Amino acid sequence: MTIRDLYNQRDGPLISLEFFPPKTESGKRNLLERMERMSALDPLFITVTWGAGGSTAEKTLELAKIAQSDLHVPICMHLTCTNMDTKLITEALEACREHGIKNILALRGDAPISEDWHNNNDVVEEPQFKYAVDLVKFIKANYGDEFCIGVAAYPEGHCEGEAEGNEQNPLKDLVYLKEKIDAGAEFVITQLFYDVNKFLDFERLFRERISKDIPVFPGLMPINSFSLFHRAARLSHASIPQHIIDKFPTEIQNDDGIVKTIGVEILIDIIEEIHSKTNGRVKCFHFYTLNLEKAVAQIVSQSTTLSKILEDSDNEDDEVFEQEDDDGDIVLADSHEENPTKFKRRRQSSTVSADIMHNRAIISRGKTDRSESAEFPSKKLVVSISSGSGILGRDATWDEFPNGRFGDSRSPAYGEIDGYGPSLKVSTKKAYELWGSPISIRDLKVIFVRYLEGSIHALPWCDLGLSAETALIQEELIQLNHRGYLTLASQPCTNASTSTDKIFGWGPNKGHVYQKAFIEMFVNQRQWETVLKPKLDYYGRRKFSYYAGNSSGSFETNLDPHSSNVVTWGVFPNSQVIQTTIIEEESFKAWRDEAFSIWFEWSKLFPRNTPSNTLLREVYSNYCLVSIVHHDFIETDELWDMLLE
C-alpha cells in the first residue's frame, strides 16, 4: 500500500525510519538484521537514501529490494534528480515498479557544481531536472498514480550553500513546497530540526496555506555524540536552541554514554510537545536512524506518546527470560515453559538476529536465513535487545560507541553520518573561497598546510576541523606535506591517558585511553614505490603495518588477508574494553574508493581541460592512498622520525 493510504487508515502514534546503504558487505548483512529487529516496532514505512548524483544508486536499489521482500514494511526509496541523467531516473523507477516499491521521496539533491555539470565537457546541455518539482512532474507524467510521491520540507527555510540562519525564510519556501504538492506530491518529510517551535510554526503555516490533510512527518535525528550532533545540525542549517546547548557542558561532551542519554530526553521532549500542541494531528515521527537502533528504541519505549506503540504486543502476560548456563550457552524461555530452550553461543560475529516463534526466541549470530523466518521479533524483546539490556542487548548494540570512517567496518553505521555518498561537504561558492583554483602540486601542498595551520576550516575530505591532539604532531605533518605527502587523517600515540585528559580524553570518568600513532595520506605512486614502501618493508610489519591502494582499485599490504588494527581503545570501570578506532582491510578499501571519488568531485568545479580540472584528475589517476600504523605506542616519535628521516 502507499504511504498516504496507510497513514489515513492507521491511528497514531506511529514512527517511520530512514536507513542508508552501508559501505561494506558485512555492514549490509548486519543492517538487514538490524532492520528486521526494528521492524517489530511496526513502522509505518522505511526510507532508503539515495547518494548525491546517484552515487549509491546500485546499493540503494539492492537494499530497497531486499527490505521490500523481507520485512513486510512499505519501502520508500529516495530519488534525487539534479546532476542525474533521465535514463538513470527511469531505470530506478522501473526497478521500483518491478519489485513492488510504491513510494518515492522526490528530492532535488545537490545543486549543480559547474555550468557544464551535465556532461562535464565543452557542450552545455539544458538539464531536464533542476528542482524536485521537475522530478515530481516527470513521475506523474510517465507513471500516473502508480507511485505515491513524497517531498522534503524545511521548517526553518531552505538554506542554499553557506547562507547564515537569518537568510533562511520558511515563508519563501512555502511557495516552492506548494508547487510540489500541486504537481502531485502526497506526503512531506521535514529536514531534521531541534527547535520545536520552528517546526510548530511551519506545520501551522502548511495547514493554513497548502493543505489541511496531507501528512507531514517531522524529521528527527537522535543525538549519538556531541560532535556529530553539531555537525549534522550545521550541515542541515538547523538551529540549536540555547537551552539544548546548555544541557551539554564541556566536561561531558566526550562521554558518548551521557550525551546519548541526554539526547534521548531531548528528543522525547520534542515529540511530546509536538503531539500535544498539534492535538495529535502530527501522529507519525520520522527518525533519521544513522543505521543505529539503541537511541530510537529508547526514545520509543520511554516516550509517553510513542510507548503506546508497544502496548499491543501479543501475549502480554508472557515474559521472556534470558540467561547463560554453565556452558556459556544462551537460555531463552517464556514464563510457561518447564524446559527452557538452549542455544549454542557462537562468537564468530558480534551481531544478533532474533525470530520469535510461539514466544521463544531463536537466536543466531552472523548471516540470517530469512527464508526460514516466518515471524519477526516481538516488540517486548526487540526493545530489550535495542536498548542494550541483557545478553542479547549487549550483542545487538555492539557498535553504538563512536562510529565514523575509522569505526568498525562491520557496523551498518560505518562511514559518513548521512549516508549520502561522497561530496565536497561545502557549497560551490565556499569551495572556491577555501581552496581557490589549484594548478600545480605546490598549490595542493599549500592548501593542505593551510588546513593544518588553521587558516582554512575544511578540506574536501574533512569538515570537522582539527582535533586538539593534532597540535602535538602539527610540525611533523606540515613537513610531510611539504615533501609531497598530502595528509588526511592522523593521530599521535598515548599510553594510559586519563579519560578526562583535555587532549586525549573521551568516555566515562575514571577510565584510561590508549592510542597507536597512525597516518593516512595521498602519495604519488612513484614516490610510494621507490621511497616509502621500501622503507616500510625494511622495518617490517611488527613495527609498521600499511594498506595502500589507488583509484583503479589496486590494494597491497604487509599484513595477512582480512586483517585489522585497533588504534584507539579505552578501559573503563564496569565496562568491557571499548574500541573506537579501527584500521582494517575492508574499511580501507571502502574509504579508498570514496576518497578518490572526492578528487573527481573536486575536479568538477572546473570546466574540462582547464588547468585545475586537469591537475585534480591527474592526482586522481597518479596517486595512491596509504595508511600506516605504528604498533609500539610507547615510542612517541618513532613513526614521524621514520617518515621524515
Side-chain angles (χ1 to χ4, degrees):
M1 296 181 65
T2 68
I3 289 172
R4 181 70 182 274
D5 289 341
L6 283 170
Y7 185 87
N8 291 337
Q9 289 183 16
R10 291 181 60 179
D11 295 328
L14 304 163
I15 64 169
S16 55
L17 306 169
E18 176 186 285
F19 299 97
F20 61 82
K23 297 179 184 298
T24 64
E25 279 300 309
S26 55
K28 182 183 74 174
R29 291 193 296 271
N30 287 329
L31 177 62
L32 290 170
E33 294 179 352
R34 179 160 289 172
M35 292 170 70
E36 186 171 317
R37 286 195 298 275
M38 296 184 76
S39 69
L41 297 176
D42 201 16
L44 184 70
F45 61 92
I46 288 173
T47 69
V48 181
T49 67
W50 177 276
S55 56
T56 64
E58 184 176 343
K59 291 182 178 179
T60 296
L61 284 166
E62 179 187 20
L63 181 60
K65 288 186 288 188
I66 294 174
Q68 177 75 10
S69 62
D70 287 7
L71 299 183
H72 307 289
V73 176
I75 301 299
C76 175
M77 195 180 77
H78 290 207
L79 194 57
T80 61
C81 61
T82 303
N83 302 343
M84 293 283 287
D85 187 271
T86 305
K87 180 181 178 183
L88 185 55
I89 294 286
T90 301
E91 289 175 351
L93 292 169
E94 288 296 326
C96 288
R97 167 192 271 175
E98 178 183 352
H99 293 278
I101 297 172
K102 296 290 187 180
N103 305 287
I104 302 292
L105 186 64
L107 305 168
R108 188 196 73 172
D110 292 338
I113 57 179
S114 67
E115 290 184 356
D116 61 341
W117 66 269
H118 189 59
N119 53 12
N120 205 29
N121 59 35
D122 295 332
V123 179
V124 179
E125 295 183 4
E126 182 67 22
Q128 179 168 351
F129 304 110
K130 288 185 178 181
Y131 306 105
V133 67
D134 299 324
L135 180 55
V136 176
K137 291 177 179 177
F138 176 84
I139 297 173
K140 282 295 181 182
N142 290 275
Y143 295 91
D145 295 329
E146 191 166 346
F147 294 105
C148 178
I149 306 171
V151 292
Y154 304 86
E156 302 183 49
H158 186 266
C159 188
E160 191 66 74
E162 301 297 317
E164 297 296 330
N166 58 15
E167 296 182 41
Q168 297 171 242
N169 187 345
L171 288 174
K172 178 181 176 181
D173 278 359
L174 281 178
V175 176
Y176 303 117
L177 182 55
K178 188 176 188 305
E179 287 182 358
K180 292 186 283 188
I181 299 299
D182 291 343
E186 298 183 66
F187 64 93
V188 173
I189 300 178
T190 78
Q191 177 65 278
L192 68 90
F193 62 90
Y194 294 101
D195 191 327
V196 67
N197 290 324
K198 290 184 176 178
F199 170 81
L200 291 170
D201 289 342
F202 160 78
E203 198 269 346
R204 176 179 53 79
L205 287 170
F206 182 86
R207 295 300 172 208
E208 292 174 353
R209 303 190 181 191
I210 298 181
S211 173
K212 294 187 181 300
D213 59 355
I214 283 182
V216 174
F217 302 97
L220 305 174
M221 181 176 285
I223 299 172
N224 290 287
S225 77
F226 184 77
S227 62
L228 294 183
F229 159 54
H230 253 278
R231 180 178 185 263
R234 175 172 56 81
L235 291 177
S236 304
H237 302 280
S239 60
I240 305 175
Q242 188 60 45
H243 74 271
I244 290 181
I245 293 293
D246 292 341
K247 293 179 182 289
F248 300 101
T250 304
E251 59 268 22
I252 70 165
Q253 290 177 5
N254 289 325
D255 188 337
D256 279 11
I258 294 177
V259 168
K260 288 179 181 179
T261 298
I262 296 171
V264 167
E265 295 171 356
I266 290 169
L267 268 291
I268 289 174
D269 288 344
I270 290 173
I271 290 165
E272 300 303 330
E273 188 168 357
I274 291 174
H275 194 260
S276 172
K277 290 188 175 179
T278 63
N279 295 315
R281 182 172 63 248
V282 175
K283 66 179 182 180
C284 185
F285 297 85
H286 185 69
F287 286 96
Y288 299 109
T289 69
L290 304 180
N291 285 4
L292 296 170
E293 64 186 311
K294 182 176 181 179
V296 175
Q298 289 180 326
I299 292 166
V300 171
S301 61
Q302 296 175 27
S303 162
T304 301
T305 296
L306 295 184
S307 61
K308 294 181 175 66
I309 294 172
L310 309 176
E311 291 178 357
D312 62 347
S313 183
D314 294 333
N315 301 301
E316 290 289 339
D317 295 331
D318 291 335
E319 293 184 58
V320 178
F321 295 93
E322 172 191 2
Q323 64 185 60
E324 288 188 38
D325 67 3
D326 294 336
D327 299 323
D329 297 336
I330 298 174
V331 179
L332 293 169
D334 65 36
S335 56
H336 304 304
E337 282 191 303
E338 295 182 2
N339 300 309
T341 303
K342 183 166 69 175
F343 302 97
K344 286 291 183 182
R345 174 183 285 277
R346 293 178 290 163
R347 300 185 182 276
Q348 68 268 28
S349 169
S350 49
T351 63
V352 177
S353 64
D355 299 318
I356 301 301
M357 303 182 70
H358 309 297
N359 281 332
R360 181 179 298 168
I362 301 176
I363 306 302
S364 64
R365 283 187 171 66
K367 188 174 181 180
T368 304
D369 184 358
R370 287 171 193 74
S371 63
E372 298 178 1
S373 301
E375 301 180 41
F376 291 107
S378 73
K379 293 178 181 180
K380 282 186 174 180
L381 186 57
V382 80
V383 170
S384 174
I385 291 174
S386 299
S387 64
S389 60
I391 302 163
L392 303 179
R394 290 195 300 272
D395 284 346
T397 56
W398 58 276
D399 63 340
E400 288 287 343
F401 256 84
N403 275 284
R405 174 152 58 88
F406 294 111
D408 192 326
S409 68
R410 296 169 300 171
S411 168
Y414 165 77
E416 293 292 349
I417 63 164
D418 50 25
Y420 286 99
S423 71
L424 299 182
K425 303 178 181 65
V426 298
S427 67
T428 300
K429 178 182 177 182
K430 193 65 176 179
Y432 290 133
E433 292 175 359
L434 288 171
W435 313 312
S437 302
I439 61 174
S440 67
I441 296 297
R442 181 181 179 279
D443 292 342
L444 292 177
K445 294 178 185 179
V446 169
I447 292 170
F448 278 75
V449 169
R450 289 184 66 210
Y451 177 69
L452 290 169
E453 293 174 339
S455 300
I456 56 176
H457 72 269
L459 291 176
W461 302 265
C462 322
D463 69 328
L464 289 176
L466 298 173
S467 63
E469 65 186 23
T470 303
L472 301 178
I473 53 174
Q474 182 186 44
E475 288 303 318
E476 289 85 352
L477 294 174
I478 289 174
Q479 289 185 55
L480 288 170
N481 279 277
H482 282 311
R483 296 188 183 193
Y485 297 145
L486 304 177
T487 60
L488 284 187
S490 59
Q491 71 178 27
C493 62
T494 189
N495 181 24
S497 292
T498 63
S499 58
T500 55
D501 186 274
K502 292 184 178 180
I503 294 178
F504 294 105
W506 56 271
N509 290 335
K510 300 181 180 180
H512 290 85
V513 298
Y514 301 80
Q515 289 185 178
K516 295 180 181 179
F518 78 84
I519 189 164
E520 177 188 272
M521 51 194 177
F522 290 109
V523 182
N524 181 281
Q525 189 75 40
R526 183 175 180 183
Q527 196 173 12
W528 161 248
E529 293 171 353
T530 61
V531 179
L532 187 53
K533 184 175 182 294
K535 190 184 294 187
L536 292 167
D537 289 339
Y538 171 79
Y539 282 100
R541 68 181 185 179
R542 302 185 78 174
K543 183 70 72 172
F544 302 102
S545 60
Y546 65 81
Y547 299 127
N550 60 26
S551 58
S552 65
S554 73
F555 174 76
E556 54 185 320
T557 180
N558 61 351
L559 293 172
D560 295 329
H562 311 298
S563 58
S564 64
N565 286 299
V566 177
V567 297
T568 303
W569 64 99
V571 180
F572 306 97
N574 303 312
S575 171
Q576 59 186 332
V577 175
I578 297 173
Q579 303 171 351
T580 64
T581 311
I582 302 172
I583 309 294
E584 55 188 333
E585 180 177 326
E586 187 175 16
S587 63
F588 175 83
K589 289 178 177 178
W591 171 240
R592 171 202 61 195
D593 297 341
E594 185 168 343
F596 278 105
S597 69
I598 291 174
W599 281 108
F600 198 72
E601 292 298 312
W602 192 3
S603 75
K604 293 179 183 178
L605 292 175
F606 309 97
R608 196 174 183 86
N609 297 324
T610 59
S612 294
N613 180 278
T614 300
L615 169 70
L616 297 172
R617 286 173 177 261
E618 286 178 351
V619 174
Y620 172 87
S621 300
N622 299 327
Y623 273 59
C624 59
L625 181 68
V626 178
S627 176
I628 303 170
V629 175
H630 175 231
H631 296 291
D632 190 351
F633 58 91
I634 307 298
E635 295 294 333
T636 306
D637 300 320
E638 194 166 20
L639 172 61
W640 318 109
D641 290 344
M642 180 276 294
L643 290 170
L644 293 170
E645 68 185 4

